[in-house]
Amino acid sequence: MHSPDRLPIRQGTPSQPPPLKRHHSAHYYAHRVRESLTTRVSKTLCVIFLSLLLIVGIIMFILWLSLRPHRPRFHIHEFSIPGLAQATGFENAELNFNVTARNPNQHIGIYYSSTEAFVYYKDQRVGATPLAEPFYQEPKNTTIMAATLSGATLTVNSQRWTEFMNDRAQGRVAFRLEIVSSIRFKVSTWWESKHHRMHANCDAIVGQDGLLLATSTNKRCTMYFT
């Protein structure tokens, strides 16, 4: 029986005090600080490197777009065989042509080595001649190349002339003019490309008067490199 003047005593297991928190040493905290600093420095260096890489990539892409070399453009303007109406014209046969070479680049010049011209009829060569000495073509510049083939430079016999006359009777004689040269591109004084063997093929179709037909005049020549 409890006395009214005394507080009741609670029976049971006494409550446990909370565990004490473990305090880390100064070495532990110094190590954590070093790890955090190293991570920050690594991330910063990575960001800087990727940013520089992106900037360099953009600059190189812009330079590539602005300095990307374009191949020259050739157009045929004149091609004629004045004596085509003569049955025996092969004795004094003569062939004249005029083509232009255009450098379409804005900042890139083109060096041409010795340039030669070849004339083909039905894929058989009927003439050849040196066309131009080595020269340098400035950007956005057009060079005229013209020549006359006759005598030793134009190998046409009576049989070949007869074939010309047979095609002439049909209203057209088809020739192919090929311009061959070794070229290289140049940007100012700090970059030059390797040599490229260039071939420009110009289709030249003349009418019964021996003059270039309107469908072939000022026509762009096809190009390839070997």
Side-chain angles (χ1 to χ4, degrees):
M1 192 170 182
H2 297 285
S3 172
D5 296 329
R6 297 179 60 186
L7 292 175
I9 299 175
R10 188 173 183 178
Q11 301 294 328
T13 305
S15 59
Q16 299 292 330
L20 296 176
K21 292 185 178 180
R22 184 183 298 274
H23 295 281
H24 297 289
S25 64
H27 176 74
Y28 171 82
Y29 289 108
H31 179 69
R32 291 292 300 273
V33 170
R34 284 197 299 269
E35 282 187 343
S36 177
L37 182 61
T38 302
T39 302
R40 289 183 181 180
V41 171
S42 299
K43 290 182 177 180
T44 303
L45 290 178
C46 287
V47 170
I48 293 174
F49 175 75
L50 293 176
S51 299
L52 291 176
L53 190 62
L54 178 62
I55 293 173
V56 171
I58 294 174
I59 293 174
M60 294 299 294
F61 180 69
I62 294 175
L63 288 176
W64 180 78
L65 286 179
S66 61
L67 299 178
R68 181 179 52 176
H70 296 280
R71 61 181 60 187
R73 299 171 184 170
F74 282 77
H75 291 80
I76 183 167
H77 299 282
E78 296 179 6
F79 190 99
S80 64
I81 305 180
L84 189 60
Q86 302 175 11
T88 58
F90 73 93
E91 296 177 352
N92 57 353
E94 183 178 283
L95 189 151
N96 307 296
F97 67 85
N98 180 322
V99 298
T100 56
R102 174 71 176 173
N103 179 4
N105 296 286
Q106 293 186 353
H107 307 287
I108 301 176
I110 302 177
Y111 280 109
Y112 286 82
S113 66
S114 297
T115 307
E116 296 178 289
F118 303 92
V119 179
Y120 294 88
Y121 170 76
K122 295 181 178 179
D123 289 330
Q124 295 182 352
R125 185 185 297 181
V126 296
T129 183
L131 189 56
E133 295 294 326
F135 68 95
Y136 173 72
Q137 189 178 43
E138 297 285 346
K140 292 295 182 181
N141 187 268
T142 301
T143 302
I144 299 174
M145 299 182 180
T148 297
L149 281 71
S150 61
T153 61
L154 188 62
T155 55
V156 177
N157 53 27
S158 59
Q159 179 182 354
R160 185 69 66 201
W161 194 263
T162 300
E163 293 178 1
F164 291 171
M165 297 296 291
N166 292 337
D167 286 348
R168 176 182 175 273
Q170 302 298 321
R172 48 186 282 159
V173 186
F175 294 91
R176 178 169 60 89
L177 173 65
E178 182 178 14
I179 310 298
V180 179
S181 183
S182 181
I183 66 173
R184 56 190 172 95
F185 300 96
K186 178 180 176 63
V187 179
S188 184
T189 58
W190 56 272
W191 180 80
E192 288 185 8
S193 73
K194 64 179 182 179
H195 287 82
H196 302 274
R197 186 72 170 172
M198 179 207 73
H199 302 259
N201 285 320
C202 311
D203 293 326
I205 302 176
V206 300
Q208 293 183 338
D209 56 0
L211 300 179
L212 190 66
L213 294 178
T215 54
S216 296
T217 304
N218 301 326
K219 187 176 181 180
R220 184 171 175 176
C221 307
T222 59
M223 292 191 61
Y224 67 94
F225 294 95
T226 57

